[in-house]
């Protein structure tokens, strides 16, 4: 599946943050609009409540003032108080007009109209008849009913205010529920977007990280492929270019090793054969000094030949996958062959070889297993002090064979154990002998052991070095064949 990526990594980040922020911004804007509507409605409700309360109170006060003036007119029989009543009446009409401008329901409007008509009838009776007339007394008594109607009107306004408050509370609750559901709906959306863009962002980074790790580990045959923004794809292309360059350098190095090794092998073979002829006195009897010199030549030619064979083995293992020709192998017989090959070097350093091998037959490549043991034993001889003891042990351990090679030399420092099997790596300890190793012996050991599906490791030891090889009795499917 091909994924769409922006052209650059910063743009991918910007798109990711924008898409993640959009739902949150939508929720915030929606909540802001809801809160603003609720605030406006609350403000209008409070304003109407204050106006209704003030207008209702003024209306009731003006009715009380009109009633008081009308009673004074009747009790004092003073028709001149009609002017005072008229002045109060104008204030009453103003209060009634203000109250009528409020958003009233039909019952409130009808109640207000009844109050206004009742007051108008009372005023007509007071102004048309004498203060002591029956009509004036009836007009005065009608103010009691008008005051009650005014109080009922104010009470109804308060009830409407209470209903408005309840309606606002319900609106607030509904807005809260809507906000909660929006948040619940946005959480999976945001989580999906965050996970999705995390994958989009992390995927090319993981690919680059894996490619760098492979290059650092020497896995140069795996192409570098990075999918993502164009700048990261370009970085992947540069890593691929680096891989090809490193692979070309590696191939040139291997070709050089093979060519040099082959070129050296022919004259060295002649040198070794000549040294052996001298040692065997094929050209005449030798004096003890001459025999010693001939033996030195033969021994060092053997060492040189072994170094060249190691170079050839390493070059072959790097050029192609190591294959093994499995067959039944007697481990004691292989150990005996290797010990015989190393007998001269062991006697020269006055070493003791302690072999403790069980009678074991394992499926293995006899020649490659001989090379493995020969490298381990030659290292033990090289680093052992004169008069030391070298141990070689072979025993069953579950479904595997364990081969242990120990010596009494300086050992392998803990900080070098992870690198001791790397090609051309030479530890800080110097071995005996005029020839310094190439540093590929243990790398060949590792390649051949891994080809058998086994493992090799450096074990903790109180004195000297201790290397252990584990070979499976039933070869794993993943091993080379």
């Amino acid at each position: 599946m091909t994924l769409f990526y922006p052209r650059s990594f910063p743009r991918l980040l910007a798109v990711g943050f924008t898409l993640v922020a959009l739902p949150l911004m939508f929720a915030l804007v929606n909540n802001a609009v809801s809160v603003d509507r609720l605030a406006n409605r609350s403000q209008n409700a409070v304003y109407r409540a204050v106006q209704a309360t003030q207008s209702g109170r003024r209306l009731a006060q003006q009715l009380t003032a009109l009633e008081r003036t009308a009673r004074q007119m009747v009790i004092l029989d003073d028709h001149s108080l009609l002017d005072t009543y008229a002045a109060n009446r104008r204030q009453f009409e103003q209060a009634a007009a203000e109250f009528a401008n409020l958003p009233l329901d039909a019952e409130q409007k009808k109640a207000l109209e009844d109050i206004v008509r009742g007051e108008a009838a009372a005023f007509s009776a007071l102004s048309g008849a004498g203060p002591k007339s029956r009509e004036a007394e009836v007009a005065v008594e009608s103010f009691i009913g008008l005051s009650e109607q005014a109080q009922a009107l104010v009470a109804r306004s308060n009830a409407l205010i209470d209903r408005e408050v309840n309606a606002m509370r319900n609106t607030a609750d509904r807005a809260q529920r809507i906000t909660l559901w929006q948040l619940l709906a946005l959480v999976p959306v945001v989580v999906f977007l965050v996970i999705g863009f995390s994958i989009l962002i992390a995927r090319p980074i993981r690919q680059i990280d894996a490619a760098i790790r492979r290059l650092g580990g020497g896995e140069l045959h795996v192409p570098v492929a990075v999918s993502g923004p164009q700048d990261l794809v370009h970085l992947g292309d540069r890593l691929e270019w680096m891989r090809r360059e490193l692979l070309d350098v590696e191939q040139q190095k291997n070709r050089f090793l093979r060519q040099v090794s082959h070129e050296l092998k022919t004259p060295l073979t002649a040198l070794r054969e000549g040294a052996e002829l001298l040692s065997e006195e094929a050209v005449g009897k030798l004096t003890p000094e001459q025999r010693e010199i001939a033996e030195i030549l033969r021994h060092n030619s053997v060492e040189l030949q072994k170094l060249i064979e190691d170079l050839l083995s390493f070059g072959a293992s790097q050029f192609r996958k190591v294959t093994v020709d499995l067959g039944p192998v007697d481990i004691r017989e292989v150990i005996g062959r290797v010990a015989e090959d190393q007998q001269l070097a062991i006697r020269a350093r006055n070493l003791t070889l302690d072999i403790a091998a069980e009678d074991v037959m394992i499926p293995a490549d006899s020649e490659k297993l001989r090379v493995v043991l020969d490298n381990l034993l030659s290292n033990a001889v090289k680093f052992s002090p004169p008069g030391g003891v070298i141990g070689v042990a072979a025993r069953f351990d579950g479904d595997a064979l364990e081969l242990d090679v120990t010596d009494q030399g300086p050992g392998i420092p803990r900080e070098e154990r992870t690198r001791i099997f790397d090609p051309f790596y030479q530890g800080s300890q110097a071995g005996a002998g005029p020839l310094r190793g190439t540093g590929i012996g243990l790398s060949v050991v590792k390649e051949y052991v891994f080809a058998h599906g086994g493992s090799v490791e450096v074990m903790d030891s109180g004195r000297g070095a201790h290397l252990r090889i584990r070979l499976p009795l039933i070869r794993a499917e993943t091993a080379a064949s």
Side-chain angles (χ1 to χ4, degrees):
M1 178 180 179
T2 303
L3 298 177
F4 170 76
Y5 281 95
R7 295 180 61 85
S8 65
F9 187 70
R11 188 174 298 178
L12 174 62
L13 291 177
V15 171
F17 284 124
T18 301
L19 290 180
V20 170
L22 277 178
L24 300 178
M25 293 175 61
F26 169 77
L28 289 175
V29 171
N30 187 48
N31 290 336
V33 172
S34 300
V35 170
D36 182 67
R37 289 176 180 174
L38 184 61
N40 290 334
R41 185 171 178 178
S42 301
Q43 183 179 3
N44 293 332
V46 170
Y47 178 72
R48 288 197 301 269
V50 171
Q51 280 189 324
T53 302
Q54 291 177 350
S55 298
R57 186 179 298 114
R58 283 199 301 271
L59 185 66
Q61 288 175 352
Q62 294 304 321
L63 280 175
T64 301
L66 291 174
E67 181 183 3
R68 184 170 55 250
T69 303
R71 290 187 180 277
Q72 288 176 353
M73 287 176 59
V74 173
I75 295 172
L76 299 177
D77 193 17
D78 187 358
H79 200 271
S80 62
L81 292 174
L82 188 60
D83 295 336
T84 303
Y85 183 94
N88 292 334
R89 187 169 186 270
R90 285 192 293 274
Q91 296 181 5
F92 166 77
E93 291 175 345
Q94 183 179 358
E98 292 177 357
F99 200 90
N101 290 329
L102 297 177
L104 305 177
D105 58 12
E107 294 184 5
Q108 286 180 307
K109 291 181 179 180
K110 184 177 182 305
L112 181 61
E113 291 174 356
D114 291 341
I115 293 173
V116 172
R117 281 198 301 269
E119 187 280 329
F123 176 70
S124 178
L126 290 173
S127 60
K132 291 292 186 178
S133 64
R134 178 62 182 170
E135 291 82 356
E137 292 179 359
V138 173
V140 171
E141 294 301 327
S142 66
F143 278 102
I144 298 176
L146 294 176
S147 297
E148 292 177 353
Q149 288 179 331
Q151 294 296 332
L153 184 60
V154 172
R156 182 167 180 80
S157 298
N158 292 333
L160 289 177
I161 292 172
D162 292 339
R163 285 199 297 271
E164 183 69 20
V165 170
N166 291 331
M168 285 190 297
R169 185 180 296 113
N170 294 332
T171 302
D173 293 340
R174 186 168 59 254
Q176 185 178 12
R177 288 194 300 271
I178 292 175
T179 302
L180 178 61
W181 283 110
Q182 285 179 345
L183 291 177
L184 292 177
L186 287 175
V187 165
V189 174
V190 172
V191 169
F192 172 77
L193 290 174
V194 169
I195 294 176
F197 274 93
S198 297
I199 294 174
L200 290 178
I201 293 172
R203 181 180 179 183
I205 295 178
R206 285 198 304 269
Q207 292 172 339
I208 292 174
D209 178 73
I212 293 174
R213 289 178 182 273
R214 287 196 300 270
L215 292 177
E219 300 179 26
L220 304 179
H221 295 281
V222 180
V224 177
V226 177
S227 60
Q230 188 172 359
D231 46 3
L232 295 185
V233 172
H234 178 69
L235 178 59
D237 294 339
R238 302 308 297 168
L239 290 175
E240 172 63 14
W241 171 82
M242 181 186 298
R243 183 193 69 84
R244 291 195 298 267
E245 292 295 317
L246 290 174
L247 185 60
D248 184 59
V249 171
E250 189 73 14
Q251 291 173 347
Q252 290 180 15
K253 180 190 72 175
N254 292 334
R255 285 194 295 269
F256 174 76
L257 286 176
R258 291 195 302 274
Q259 292 172 0
V260 170
S261 300
H262 280 291
E263 291 295 330
L264 290 176
K265 191 173 182 179
T266 300
L268 184 59
T269 301
L271 179 62
R272 179 180 176 180
E273 291 175 352
E276 288 179 349
L277 290 174
L278 287 175
S279 298
E280 294 171 357
E281 299 181 346
V283 294
K285 193 168 182 62
L286 302 177
T287 64
E289 292 80 5
Q290 292 173 334
R291 185 178 296 108
E292 182 180 359
I293 293 174
E295 190 63 29
I296 292 173
L297 287 174
R298 191 186 75 82
H299 174 70
N300 283 282
S301 64
V302 170
E303 289 293 323
L304 281 173
Q305 186 174 9
K306 181 178 180 302
L307 293 177
I308 291 175
E309 289 175 353
D310 286 344
L311 287 172
L312 287 173
S313 299
F314 175 75
S317 67
Q318 296 297 304
F319 183 72
R320 63 181 182 273
K321 186 177 181 180
V322 177
T323 59
V324 290
D325 184 13
L326 294 180
V329 175
D330 186 347
I331 191 65
R332 295 174 63 180
E333 190 269 336
V334 175
I335 294 175
R337 287 169 51 198
V338 173
E340 185 178 353
D341 292 340
Q342 296 288 336
Q343 195 61 41
L344 180 61
I346 292 174
R347 284 201 308 267
R349 297 182 56 78
N350 194 26
L351 301 175
T352 300
L353 181 60
D354 182 13
I355 299 176
E358 297 179 1
D359 189 8
V360 179
M361 296 291 292
I362 63 170
D365 188 314
S366 177
E367 178 58 25
K368 287 183 171 56
L369 189 56
R370 184 200 65 79
V371 172
V372 167
L373 286 172
D374 187 70
N375 277 317
L376 294 180
L377 189 56
S378 64
N379 279 347
V381 171
K382 183 186 300 184
F383 289 98
S384 291
V389 177
I390 297 174
V392 178
R395 63 182 178 277
F396 283 119
D397 181 36
D399 58 352
L401 172 72
E402 284 189 351
L403 286 172
D404 292 277
V405 178
T406 60
D407 61 56
Q408 295 178 338
I412 302 173
R414 186 173 295 275
E415 62 272 12
E416 296 180 3
R417 293 183 181 181
T418 57
R419 301 184 59 195
I420 200 69
F421 297 101
D422 292 344
F424 303 105
Y425 178 78
Q426 297 181 352
S428 57
Q429 305 295 337
L435 295 177
R436 183 171 176 82
T438 59
I440 63 174
L442 289 180
S443 68
V444 173
V445 169
K446 178 182 176 182
E447 291 284 345
Y448 285 2
V449 170
F450 280 12
H452 282 81
S455 63
V456 58
E457 58 181 331
V458 180
M459 308 299 294
D460 291 327
S461 177
R463 181 184 178 186
H466 180 184
L467 285 90
R468 173 173 293 172
I469 294 173
R470 286 179 59 86
L471 297 175
L473 299 181
I474 300 177
R475 190 160 175 264
E477 292 296 331
T478 56
S481 59

Coordinates of all heavy atoms in Angstrom, one line a residue, residues 292-335:
E292 N 69.0 -27.1 13.6 CA 68.2 -26.2 14.4 C 67.7 -25.1 13.5 O 66.5 -24.7 13.5 CB 68.9 -25.6 15.6 CG 68.1 -24.7 16.4 CD 68.9 -24.1 17.6 OE1 70.1 -24.5 17.7 OE2 68.4 -23.3 18.3
I293 N 68.6 -24.6 12.6 CA 68.2 -23.5 11.7 C 67.1 -24.0 10.7 O 66.1 -23.4 10.4 CB 69.4 -23.0 11.0 CG1 70.3 -22.2 12.0 CG2 69.0 -22.0 9.9 CD1 71.7 -21.8 11.4
A294 N 67.3 -25.2 10.2 CA 66.4 -25.8 9.3 C 65.0 -26.0 9.9 O 64.0 -25.8 9.3 CB 66.9 -27.1 8.7
E295 N 65.0 -26.4 11.2 CA 63.8 -26.6 11.9 C 63.0 -25.3 12.1 O 61.8 -25.2 12.0 CB 64.0 -27.3 13.3 CG 62.8 -27.7 14.0 CD 62.0 -28.8 13.2 OE1 62.7 -29.6 12.4 OE2 60.8 -28.8 13.3
I296 N 63.8 -24.2 12.4 CA 63.2 -22.9 12.6 C 62.6 -22.5 11.3 O 61.5 -21.9 11.2 CB 64.3 -21.9 13.0 CG1 64.7 -22.2 14.5 CG2 63.7 -20.5 12.9 CD1 65.9 -21.3 15.0
L297 N 63.3 -22.7 10.1 CA 62.7 -22.3 8.8 C 61.4 -23.1 8.6 O 60.4 -22.5 8.1 CB 63.7 -22.6 7.7 CG 64.9 -21.7 7.6 CD1 65.9 -22.2 6.6 CD2 64.5 -20.3 7.2
R298 N 61.5 -24.4 8.8 CA 60.3 -25.2 8.6 C 59.1 -24.8 9.5 O 58.0 -24.6 9.0 CB 60.6 -26.7 8.9 CG 59.4 -27.6 8.4 CD 59.7 -29.0 8.8 NE 59.5 -29.2 10.2 CZ 58.2 -29.4 10.7 NH1 57.2 -29.4 9.9 NH2 58.1 -29.5 12.0
H299 N 59.4 -24.5 10.8 CA 58.3 -24.1 11.7 C 57.7 -22.8 11.3 O 56.4 -22.6 11.2 CB 58.8 -24.0 13.1 CG 57.9 -23.5 14.1 ND1 56.7 -24.2 14.5 CD2 57.8 -22.3 14.7 CE1 56.0 -23.4 15.4 NE2 56.7 -22.3 15.5
N300 N 58.5 -21.8 10.9 CA 58.0 -20.5 10.5 C 57.3 -20.5 9.2 O 56.3 -19.8 8.9 CB 59.1 -19.4 10.6 CG 59.4 -19.0 12.0 OD1 58.7 -18.2 12.6 ND2 60.5 -19.5 12.5
S301 N 57.8 -21.4 8.3 CA 57.0 -21.5 7.0 C 55.7 -22.1 7.2 O 54.7 -21.7 6.5 CB 57.9 -22.4 6.0 OG 58.0 -23.7 6.5
V302 N 55.6 -23.0 8.2 CA 54.2 -23.6 8.5 C 53.3 -22.5 9.1 O 52.1 -22.4 8.7 CB 54.4 -24.8 9.5 CG1 53.0 -25.2 10.1 CG2 55.1 -26.0 8.8
E303 N 53.9 -21.7 9.9 CA 53.1 -20.6 10.5 C 52.6 -19.6 9.4 O 51.5 -19.2 9.4 CB 53.9 -19.8 11.6 CG 54.2 -20.6 12.8 CD 52.9 -20.8 13.6 OE1 52.1 -19.9 13.6 OE2 52.7 -21.9 14.2
L304 N 53.5 -19.3 8.5 CA 53.2 -18.4 7.4 C 52.1 -19.0 6.5 O 51.1 -18.3 6.1 CB 54.4 -18.0 6.6 CG 55.3 -17.0 7.1 CD1 56.6 -16.9 6.3 CD2 54.6 -15.6 7.2
Q305 N 52.2 -20.3 6.3 CA 51.2 -21.0 5.5 C 49.9 -21.0 6.2 O 48.8 -20.8 5.5 CB 51.6 -22.4 5.2 CG 50.7 -23.1 4.2 CD 51.2 -24.5 3.8 OE1 52.2 -25.0 4.4 NE2 50.5 -25.1 2.8
K306 N 49.9 -21.1 7.5 CA 48.6 -21.1 8.2 C 48.0 -19.7 8.1 O 46.7 -19.6 8.0 CB 48.8 -21.5 9.7 CG 47.6 -21.5 10.5 CD 47.9 -21.9 11.9 CE 46.6 -21.9 12.8 NZ 45.9 -20.6 12.8
L307 N 48.8 -18.6 8.3 CA 48.2 -17.3 8.1 C 47.6 -17.1 6.8 O 46.6 -16.5 6.6 CB 49.3 -16.3 8.4 CG 49.9 -16.2 9.8 CD1 51.0 -15.2 9.9 CD2 48.8 -15.8 10.8
I308 N 48.3 -17.6 5.7 CA 47.8 -17.4 4.4 C 46.5 -18.2 4.2 O 45.5 -17.7 3.6 CB 48.8 -17.8 3.4 CG1 50.0 -16.8 3.4 CG2 48.2 -17.9 2.0 CD1 51.2 -17.2 2.5
E309 N 46.4 -19.4 4.8 CA 45.2 -20.2 4.7 C 44.1 -19.5 5.4 O 42.9 -19.5 5.0 CB 45.4 -21.6 5.3 CG 46.3 -22.4 4.4 CD 46.6 -23.8 5.0 OE1 46.3 -23.9 6.2 OE2 47.2 -24.6 4.3
D310 N 44.4 -18.8 6.5 CA 43.4 -18.1 7.2 C 42.8 -16.9 6.4 O 41.6 -16.7 6.3 CB 43.9 -17.5 8.5 CG 44.1 -18.5 9.6 OD1 43.5 -19.6 9.5 OD2 44.8 -18.3 10.6
L311 N 43.8 -16.2 5.7 CA 43.3 -15.2 4.8 C 42.4 -15.7 3.7 O 41.4 -15.1 3.3 CB 44.6 -14.5 4.2 CG 45.4 -13.6 5.1 CD1 46.6 -13.1 4.5 CD2 44.5 -12.4 5.5
L312 N 42.8 -16.8 3.1 CA 42.0 -17.4 2.0 C 40.7 -17.9 2.6 O 39.6 -17.7 1.9 CB 42.8 -18.6 1.5 CG 44.0 -18.3 0.6 CD1 44.7 -19.6 0.2 CD2 43.5 -17.6 -0.7
S313 N 40.6 -18.5 3.7 CA 39.3 -18.9 4.3 C 38.5 -17.7 4.6 O 37.2 -17.7 4.3 CB 39.6 -19.7 5.6 OG 40.4 -20.8 5.4
F314 N 39.1 -16.6 5.1 CA 38.3 -15.4 5.4 C 37.7 -14.8 4.1 O 36.6 -14.4 4.0 CB 39.1 -14.4 6.2 CG 38.4 -13.1 6.4 CD1 37.4 -13.0 7.3 CD2 38.7 -12.0 5.6 CE1 36.7 -11.8 7.5 CE2 38.1 -10.8 5.8 CZ 37.1 -10.7 6.8
G315 N 38.6 -14.7 3.1 CA 38.2 -14.2 1.8 C 37.1 -15.0 1.2 O 36.1 -14.4 0.7
A316 N 37.1 -16.3 1.3 CA 36.1 -17.1 0.8 C 34.8 -17.0 1.5 O 33.7 -16.9 0.9 CB 36.5 -18.6 0.8
S317 N 34.9 -16.8 2.9 CA 33.6 -16.7 3.7 C 33.0 -15.3 3.4 O 31.8 -15.2 3.5 CB 34.0 -16.8 5.1 OG 34.8 -15.7 5.6
Q318 N 33.8 -14.3 3.0 CA 33.2 -13.0 2.7 C 32.7 -12.9 1.3 O 31.8 -12.2 1.0 CB 34.3 -11.9 2.9 CG 34.7 -11.7 4.4 CD 33.6 -11.3 5.3 OE1 33.0 -10.3 5.1 NE2 33.4 -12.1 6.3
F319 N 33.3 -13.7 0.4 CA 32.9 -13.6 -1.0 C 31.6 -14.4 -1.2 O 30.8 -14.0 -2.0 CB 34.0 -14.2 -1.8 CG 33.7 -14.1 -3.3 CD1 33.7 -12.9 -4.0 CD2 33.5 -15.3 -4.0 CE1 33.5 -12.8 -5.3 CE2 33.2 -15.2 -5.4 CZ 33.2 -14.0 -6.0
R320 N 31.4 -15.5 -0.5 CA 30.2 -16.3 -0.7 C 29.8 -16.9 0.7 O 30.6 -16.9 1.6 CB 30.4 -17.4 -1.7 CG 31.4 -18.4 -1.2 CD 31.6 -19.5 -2.3 NE 32.6 -20.5 -1.9 CZ 33.9 -20.4 -2.0 NH1 34.4 -19.3 -2.6 NH2 34.7 -21.3 -1.6
K321 N 28.5 -17.3 0.7 CA 28.0 -17.9 2.0 C 28.8 -19.2 2.3 O 29.0 -20.0 1.4 CB 26.5 -18.2 1.8 CG 25.9 -18.6 3.1 CD 24.4 -18.8 2.9 CE 23.7 -19.2 4.2 NZ 22.3 -19.4 4.0
V322 N 29.2 -19.3 3.6 CA 29.9 -20.5 4.0 C 29.0 -21.7 3.9 O 27.8 -21.7 4.4 CB 30.4 -20.3 5.4 CG1 31.1 -21.6 5.9 CG2 31.4 -19.1 5.4
T323 N 29.4 -22.8 3.3 CA 28.6 -24.0 3.2 C 29.4 -25.1 4.0 O 30.6 -25.0 4.1 CB 28.4 -24.4 1.8 OG1 29.7 -24.6 1.1 CG2 27.6 -23.4 1.0
V324 N 28.7 -26.0 4.5 CA 29.3 -27.1 5.2 C 28.8 -28.5 4.6 O 27.7 -28.6 4.2 CB 28.9 -27.1 6.7 CG1 29.6 -25.9 7.4 CG2 27.4 -27.0 6.9
D325 N 29.8 -29.4 4.6 CA 29.5 -30.7 4.0 C 29.4 -31.7 5.2 O 30.4 -32.1 5.8 CB 30.7 -31.1 3.1 CG 30.4 -32.5 2.5 OD1 29.2 -33.0 2.5 OD2 31.3 -33.1 1.9
L326 N 28.1 -31.9 5.6 CA 27.9 -32.6 6.9 C 28.2 -34.1 6.7 O 27.9 -34.7 5.6 CB 26.5 -32.4 7.4 CG 26.1 -31.0 7.8 CD1 24.6 -31.0 8.2 CD2 27.0 -30.5 8.9
G327 N 28.7 -34.7 7.8 CA 28.9 -36.1 7.8 C 29.3 -36.5 9.2 O 29.5 -35.6 10.1
P328 N 29.2 -37.7 9.6 CA 29.6 -38.2 10.9 C 31.1 -37.9 11.2 O 31.9 -38.3 10.4 CB 29.3 -39.7 10.9 CG 29.3 -40.1 9.5 CD 28.9 -38.9 8.7
V329 N 31.3 -37.2 12.3 CA 32.7 -36.8 12.7 C 33.0 -37.3 14.1 O 32.2 -37.0 15.0 CB 32.8 -35.3 12.6 CG1 34.2 -34.9 13.1 CG2 32.6 -34.8 11.2
D330 N 34.1 -37.9 14.2 CA 34.6 -38.4 15.6 C 35.4 -37.2 16.2 O 36.4 -36.9 15.7 CB 35.4 -39.6 15.4 CG 35.9 -40.2 16.8 OD1 35.7 -39.5 17.8 OD2 36.4 -41.3 16.8
I331 N 34.8 -36.6 17.2 CA 35.4 -35.4 17.7 C 36.8 -35.7 18.3 O 37.7 -34.9 18.2 CB 34.5 -34.8 18.8 CG1 35.0 -33.4 19.1 CG2 34.4 -35.6 20.0 CD1 35.0 -32.4 18.0
R332 N 37.0 -36.9 18.9 CA 38.3 -37.2 19.4 C 39.4 -37.3 18.3 O 40.5 -37.0 18.5 CB 38.2 -38.5 20.2 CG 37.3 -38.4 21.5 CD 37.1 -39.7 22.2 NE 38.4 -40.3 22.7 CZ 38.5 -41.4 23.3 NH1 37.4 -42.2 23.5 NH2 39.7 -41.9 23.8
E333 N 38.9 -37.8 17.2 CA 39.9 -38.0 16.0 C 40.3 -36.6 15.5 O 41.5 -36.4 15.2 CB 39.2 -38.8 14.9 CG 40.2 -39.2 13.8 CD 40.2 -38.2 12.7 OE1 39.2 -37.5 12.5 OE2 41.2 -38.2 12.0
V334 N 39.3 -35.7 15.5 CA 39.7 -34.3 15.0 C 40.6 -33.6 16.0 O 41.6 -33.0 15.6 CB 38.4 -33.5 14.8 CG1 38.7 -32.0 14.4 CG2 37.5 -34.1 13.7
I335 N 40.3 -33.8 17.3 CA 41.2 -33.2 18.3 C 42.6 -33.8 18.2 O 43.6 -33.0 18.3 CB 40.6 -33.4 19.7 CG1 39.3 -32.6 19.8 CG2 41.6 -32.9 20.8 CD1 38.6 -32.8 21.1

